[in-house]
Amino acid sequence: MRKRVLLTALCTVLPCLAQTPDWSKVNAEAMKHFQALVRIDSTDPPGNETKVVEYVKQVLEAEGIPAVLVSQDPARANLIARLKGNGSKRPLLIMGHSDTVKVDPAKWTFPPFSATRDGGYVYGRGTLDDKPDLMAAMMTMILLKRSHVPLDRDVIFVSESGEEASTGPGIEYLVKEHWSEIDAEICLAEGGGVRRQDGKPFYATVQTTEKQPKGARLVVKGPAGHGSRPLRTNAILHLTRAIEKVAMWDPPMRFNDTTRNYFEKLANLSSPDIAARYKGLFDPQKAQSIRDYLAENEPGTYTLLHTSISPNIIRAGYQINVIPSEAEATLDIRAFPGEDITAFYEQMKKVINDPAVEIIPETANQRPGGPPSRIDNDAYHAIENTFKKVYGVPTLPTMSSGATDMAFLRAKGVQCYGIGAMSDAEDASKGFGAHSDQERILEEAVYKHVEFFWEAVIAIAGSAR
Ligand SMILES: [Zn+2]
């Protein structure tokens, strides 16, 4: 006890070198837990995440960390655990989701829930998404508890269910029914990572904002008729013209702090010709031709420049000789953060320029929007410094075109940062990425991620800085 007090006192004035974990021991422990978590099938649907969090709860409680399971659906429990700080700063929330996407076992070299170690990789569903975060957050709690690191902030660990297919019993339930238990100033969750190229860490990404899923239907009504007498008023004709116009439209370009910083930093890391392309986005003389290039060649980059529209469902007609009186298209719209969506629909209307086409905005199941998390605060700088310290790489802030659970927390005012483990840039195209036919992670990435998580949490929540 006395030793602990002394150590604690020492750590308030000096960096806590004495408390650096023995990584070779921690690595073995981390791998054991990681494999155990991957071996629990939590494919969503149906999820069955309770099996995962029961494992985590038992590991935490063996270390003397109380953990509670809370659930809307008993098969889909979420876990909450908390280590107390001195209360001088508001809490830090660390998260990892417990479900995974589904598998087609026939496509796997090693069984998808075997967590087989082979050639420096661990194979299995969830090895990238998101069991490394789950395991690393759990290990961080354990290491914090064992080493008695003094904390300015409470550290709250949440494992949420339903991220992949059904946020209802997961983050939505937690925010709605257990807010006081998870309320935090800052959160770390999935969404970023370290990109390795040619066997070396190249740069890290931190997700600080995301586009907001919206949707709309285009509906055209016109006279029905006999298919042998074509009509210029045919609803399908009007609909398809409208679809082409909105799909080929280049909506007004926007930047926010995240995307501006992202393109500037990406340019700094790129070869001169590619750098010129990213820098040219900020030059009004060059931007248009670059956007045209990106639309054709880098759709993942192009979508970061504006609110996007993708026509994904068309419904019309039922018989070859009948001109249908109605035709409808469903558009997947991903709003740039802060977009005035009503004004955007007005612009769409002008682009379509056809009174026969009605735009009906989707209003059901809307996810909340929140402002981007800051990239100029202590927490962001702490994450940047940690990526530099652990991997020796610069950090790029990113905006996701897709949606994550962090949207629900940002809407409540939490500063959320999407982090992640290291992976090879080319591994996804080889078919081993998140959500791919197979999934794998470098063993080294498993170990490094625990070290990163621990360092980042201490940098954000620890007293000894
Ligand atoms: Zn995920």
Side-chain angles (χ1 to χ4, degrees):
M1 188 63 199
R2 192 151 166 224
K3 200 168 143 204
R4 192 203 302 175
V5 171
L6 190 70
L7 196 63
T8 306
L10 200 69
C11 284
T12 54
V13 287
L14 292 170
C16 285
L17 293 173
Q19 295 169 2
T20 300
D22 176 347
W23 290 115
S24 64
K25 278 196 190 133
V26 172
N27 288 349
E29 203 179 344
M31 183 56 79
K32 182 187 83 177
H33 291 312
F34 183 61
Q35 286 182 296
L37 291 169
V38 173
R39 285 174 184 147
I40 302 170
D41 176 353
S42 54
T43 49
D44 177 13
N48 287 322
E49 295 93 335
T50 300
K51 290 183 293 174
V52 179
V53 286
E54 274 172 352
Y55 177 88
V56 175
K57 179 177 160 69
Q58 157 248 308
V59 173
L60 291 176
E61 289 187 339
E63 299 285 335
I65 304 169
V68 290
L69 301 188
V70 296
S71 64
Q72 185 180 59
D73 171 347
R76 314 203 62 181
N78 305 280
L79 176 140
I80 307 172
R82 179 186 293 250
L83 290 173
K84 295 290 282 178
N86 62 25
S88 61
K89 292 180 185 167
R90 294 187 54 225
L92 164 66
L93 170 65
I94 56 177
M95 308 213 304
H97 67 81
S98 48
D99 60 327
T100 70
V101 291
K102 297 178 79 162
V103 293
D104 176 357
K107 304 249 167 74
W108 289 73
T109 311
F110 304 104
F113 305 104
S114 64
T116 302
R117 292 171 70 175
D118 186 78
Y121 290 92
V122 186
Y123 289 79
R125 181 56 89 213
T127 50
L128 292 170
D129 182 7
D130 182 36
K131 287 177 176 171
D133 289 326
L134 177 57
M135 180 279 292
M138 180 185 84
M139 285 304 299
T140 299
M141 295 294 278
I142 293 171
L143 296 174
L144 288 173
K145 174 81 179 171
R146 284 181 192 162
S147 55
H148 310 287
V149 174
L151 298 168
D152 281 351
R153 304 176 188 275
D154 287 7
V155 178
I156 306 167
F157 168 37
V158 161
S159 175
E160 84 276 29
S161 63
E163 195 277 340
E164 296 291 359
S166 43
T167 50
I171 192 69
E172 287 190 64
Y173 167 75
L174 286 167
V175 167
K176 216 164 129 217
E177 305 293 338
H178 293 275
W179 181 246
S180 65
E181 293 146 77
I182 66 166
D183 185 8
E185 182 180 359
I186 300 152
C187 92
L188 300 180
E190 68 169 343
V194 177
R195 187 183 169 94
R196 200 173 82 149
Q197 220 158 277
D198 305 322
K200 275 196 290 214
F202 186 33
Y203 62 79
T205 58
V206 174
Q207 196 256 45
T208 58
T209 184
E210 62 190 59
K211 294 178 92 177
Q212 195 182 5
K214 296 280 179 189
R217 286 179 302 136
L218 300 181
V219 178
V220 185
K221 293 190 173 121
H226 196 289
S228 67
R229 292 188 294 276
L231 297 172
R232 292 282 161 93
T233 49
N234 186 326
I236 290 181
L237 187 60
H238 283 266
L239 181 71
T240 50
R241 281 183 186 146
I243 290 171
E244 180 168 12
K245 283 182 191 160
V246 291
M248 299 304 287
W249 177 36
D250 192 25
M253 182 164 64
R254 296 183 195 287
F255 292 100
N256 53 30
D257 286 353
T258 291
T259 59
R260 209 175 287 114
N261 196 282
Y262 171 75
F263 284 116
E264 282 163 0
K265 288 221 168 111
L266 195 58
N268 292 339
L269 293 167
S270 302
S271 61
D273 51 330
I274 296 173
R277 189 179 302 138
Y278 293 133
K279 283 184 184 152
L281 285 169
F282 301 104
D283 179 343
Q285 304 296 316
K286 296 179 184 160
Q288 189 56 56
S289 64
I290 293 169
R291 295 171 74 193
D292 293 341
Y293 173 88
L294 295 174
E296 292 290 340
N297 299 288
E298 282 185 43
T301 306
Y302 181 59
T303 191
L304 301 179
L305 300 172
H306 50 233
T307 294
S308 65
I309 303 173
S310 181
N312 292 350
I313 305 170
I314 290 187
R315 265 190 294 267
Y318 56 90
Q319 198 169 344
I320 188 169
N321 57 358
V322 176
I323 295 173
S325 59
E326 197 168 332
E328 183 183 306
T330 305
L331 309 176
D332 183 353
I333 297 174
R334 301 296 174 121
F336 195 91
E339 181 80 76
D340 176 347
I341 200 72
T342 310
F344 186 81
Y345 289 134
E346 283 303 315
Q347 284 180 292
M348 255 172 73
K349 204 174 168 61
K350 289 198 183 106
V351 169
I352 292 170
N353 191 26
D354 180 350
V357 181
E358 193 188 353
I359 300 171
I360 302 175
E362 181 64 66
T363 51
N365 301 321
Q366 293 291 290
R367 293 169 70 93
S373 300
R374 303 195 66 88
I375 58 171
D376 59 0
N377 59 11
D378 288 349
Y380 183 77
H381 293 315
I383 296 167
E384 266 188 318
N385 292 340
T386 306
F387 274 124
K388 186 103 215 153
K389 180 175 175 185
V390 176
Y391 296 94
V393 294
T395 296
L396 280 58
T398 60
M399 175 172 80
S400 299
S401 56
T404 76
D405 279 357
M406 287 187 287
F408 294 92
L409 298 166
R410 288 198 183 109
K412 297 283 277 182
V414 186
Q415 296 286 306
C416 279
Y417 298 99
I419 46 87
M422 177 171 69
S423 59
D424 280 320
E426 57 276 11
D427 223 32
S429 56
K430 286 187 198 160
F432 295 105
H435 298 211
S436 293
D437 278 350
Q438 299 192 69
E439 194 173 336
R440 70 180 183 186
I441 188 169
L442 289 157
E443 290 184 2
E444 188 193 337
V446 174
Y447 305 139
K448 278 278 186 203
H449 194 43
V450 178
E451 192 181 335
F452 166 81
F453 226 109
W454 153 264
E455 293 280 358
V457 167
I458 297 216
I460 295 169
S463 306
R465 279 196 293 155

mmCIF file with all atom_site columns, all heavy atoms in Angstrom, residues 97 129-130 163-164 190, ligand 1:
data_model
loop_
_atom_site.group_PDB
_atom_site.id
_atom_site.type_symbol
_atom_site.label_atom_id
_atom_site.label_alt_id
_atom_site.label_comp_id
_atom_site.label_asym_id
_atom_site.label_entity_id
_atom_site.label_seq_id
_atom_site.pdbx_PDB_ins_code
_atom_site.Cartn_x
_atom_site.Cartn_y
_atom_site.Cartn_z
_atom_site.occupancy
_atom_site.B_iso_or_equiv
_atom_site.pdbx_formal_charge
_atom_site.auth_seq_id
_atom_site.auth_comp_id
_atom_site.auth_asym_id
_atom_site.auth_atom_id
_atom_site.pdbx_PDB_model_num
ATOM   1  N  N   . HIS A 1 97  ? -17.037 -2.339 -30.456 1.00 0.00 ? 97  HIS A N   1
ATOM   2  C  CA  . HIS A 1 97  ? -18.308 -3.050 -30.626 1.00 0.00 ? 97  HIS A CA  1
ATOM   3  C  C   . HIS A 1 97  ? -18.084 -4.556 -30.658 1.00 0.00 ? 97  HIS A C   1
ATOM   4  O  O   . HIS A 1 97  ? -17.045 -5.038 -31.107 1.00 0.00 ? 97  HIS A O   1
ATOM   5  C  CB  . HIS A 1 97  ? -19.134 -2.529 -31.800 1.00 0.00 ? 97  HIS A CB  1
ATOM   6  C  CG  . HIS A 1 97  ? -18.582 -2.744 -33.169 1.00 0.00 ? 97  HIS A CG  1
ATOM   7  N  ND1 . HIS A 1 97  ? -18.710 -3.930 -33.852 1.00 0.00 ? 97  HIS A ND1 1
ATOM   8  C  CD2 . HIS A 1 97  ? -17.928 -1.907 -34.006 1.00 0.00 ? 97  HIS A CD2 1
ATOM   9  C  CE1 . HIS A 1 97  ? -18.163 -3.814 -35.055 1.00 0.00 ? 97  HIS A CE1 1
ATOM   10 N  NE2 . HIS A 1 97  ? -17.676 -2.600 -35.177 1.00 0.00 ? 97  HIS A NE2 1
ATOM   11 N  N   . ASP A 1 129 ? -12.435 -5.741 -37.496 1.00 0.00 ? 129 ASP A N   1
ATOM   12 C  CA  . ASP A 1 129 ? -13.643 -4.954 -37.200 1.00 0.00 ? 129 ASP A CA  1
ATOM   13 C  C   . ASP A 1 129 ? -14.552 -5.756 -36.281 1.00 0.00 ? 129 ASP A C   1
ATOM   14 O  O   . ASP A 1 129 ? -15.294 -6.595 -36.743 1.00 0.00 ? 129 ASP A O   1
ATOM   15 C  CB  . ASP A 1 129 ? -14.326 -4.623 -38.529 1.00 0.00 ? 129 ASP A CB  1
ATOM   16 C  CG  . ASP A 1 129 ? -15.562 -3.769 -38.375 1.00 0.00 ? 129 ASP A CG  1
ATOM   17 O  OD1 . ASP A 1 129 ? -15.844 -3.313 -37.261 1.00 0.00 ? 129 ASP A OD1 1
ATOM   18 O  OD2 . ASP A 1 129 ? -16.263 -3.580 -39.381 1.00 0.00 ? 129 ASP A OD2 1
ATOM   19 N  N   . ASP A 1 130 ? -14.540 -5.571 -34.982 1.00 0.00 ? 130 ASP A N   1
ATOM   20 C  CA  . ASP A 1 130 ? -13.854 -4.514 -34.287 1.00 0.00 ? 130 ASP A CA  1
ATOM   21 C  C   . ASP A 1 130 ? -13.190 -5.085 -33.035 1.00 0.00 ? 130 ASP A C   1
ATOM   22 O  O   . ASP A 1 130 ? -12.977 -4.409 -32.051 1.00 0.00 ? 130 ASP A O   1
ATOM   23 C  CB  . ASP A 1 130 ? -14.900 -3.424 -33.938 1.00 0.00 ? 130 ASP A CB  1
ATOM   24 C  CG  . ASP A 1 130 ? -14.300 -2.215 -33.233 1.00 0.00 ? 130 ASP A CG  1
ATOM   25 O  OD1 . ASP A 1 130 ? -13.173 -1.844 -33.568 1.00 0.00 ? 130 ASP A OD1 1
ATOM   26 O  OD2 . ASP A 1 130 ? -14.971 -1.679 -32.346 1.00 0.00 ? 130 ASP A OD2 1
ATOM   27 N  N   . GLU A 1 163 ? -23.586 -2.738 -33.786 1.00 0.00 ? 163 GLU A N   1
ATOM   28 C  CA  . GLU A 1 163 ? -23.024 -1.668 -34.623 1.00 0.00 ? 163 GLU A CA  1
ATOM   29 C  C   . GLU A 1 163 ? -23.210 -1.954 -36.106 1.00 0.00 ? 163 GLU A C   1
ATOM   30 O  O   . GLU A 1 163 ? -23.456 -1.056 -36.895 1.00 0.00 ? 163 GLU A O   1
ATOM   31 C  CB  . GLU A 1 163 ? -21.535 -1.476 -34.303 1.00 0.00 ? 163 GLU A CB  1
ATOM   32 C  CG  . GLU A 1 163 ? -20.943 -0.177 -34.843 1.00 0.00 ? 163 GLU A CG  1
ATOM   33 C  CD  . GLU A 1 163 ? -20.515 -0.229 -36.300 1.00 0.00 ? 163 GLU A CD  1
ATOM   34 O  OE1 . GLU A 1 163 ? -20.299 -1.333 -36.845 1.00 0.00 ? 163 GLU A OE1 1
ATOM   35 O  OE2 . GLU A 1 163 ? -20.413 0.840  -36.920 1.00 0.00 ? 163 GLU A OE2 1
ATOM   36 N  N   . GLU A 1 164 ? -23.079 -3.218 -36.483 1.00 0.00 ? 164 GLU A N   1
ATOM   37 C  CA  . GLU A 1 164 ? -23.044 -3.543 -37.908 1.00 0.00 ? 164 GLU A CA  1
ATOM   38 C  C   . GLU A 1 164 ? -24.405 -3.514 -38.598 1.00 0.00 ? 164 GLU A C   1
ATOM   39 O  O   . GLU A 1 164 ? -24.490 -3.248 -39.792 1.00 0.00 ? 164 GLU A O   1
ATOM   40 C  CB  . GLU A 1 164 ? -22.410 -4.934 -38.118 1.00 0.00 ? 164 GLU A CB  1
ATOM   41 C  CG  . GLU A 1 164 ? -20.953 -5.027 -37.687 1.00 0.00 ? 164 GLU A CG  1
ATOM   42 C  CD  . GLU A 1 164 ? -20.014 -4.224 -38.585 1.00 0.00 ? 164 GLU A CD  1
ATOM   43 O  OE1 . GLU A 1 164 ? -20.486 -3.620 -39.546 1.00 0.00 ? 164 GLU A OE1 1
ATOM   44 O  OE2 . GLU A 1 164 ? -18.811 -4.195 -38.270 1.00 0.00 ? 164 GLU A OE2 1
ATOM   45 N  N   . GLU A 1 190 ? -13.918 2.919  -32.895 1.00 0.00 ? 190 GLU A N   1
ATOM   46 C  CA  . GLU A 1 190 ? -13.372 2.492  -34.195 1.00 0.00 ? 190 GLU A CA  1
ATOM   47 C  C   . GLU A 1 190 ? -13.514 3.616  -35.224 1.00 0.00 ? 190 GLU A C   1
ATOM   48 O  O   . GLU A 1 190 ? -14.325 4.521  -35.061 1.00 0.00 ? 190 GLU A O   1
ATOM   49 C  CB  . GLU A 1 190 ? -14.123 1.258  -34.691 1.00 0.00 ? 190 GLU A CB  1
ATOM   50 C  CG  . GLU A 1 190 ? -15.569 1.565  -35.059 1.00 0.00 ? 190 GLU A CG  1
ATOM   51 C  CD  . GLU A 1 190 ? -16.252 0.438  -35.806 1.00 0.00 ? 190 GLU A CD  1
ATOM   52 O  OE1 . GLU A 1 190 ? -15.574 -0.443 -36.335 1.00 0.00 ? 190 GLU A OE1 1
ATOM   53 O  OE2 . GLU A 1 190 ? -17.485 0.446  -35.850 1.00 0.00 ? 190 GLU A OE2 1
HETATM 54 ZN ZN  . ZN  B 2 .   ? -16.961 -1.866 -36.983 1.00 0.00 ? 1   ZN  B ZN  1
#
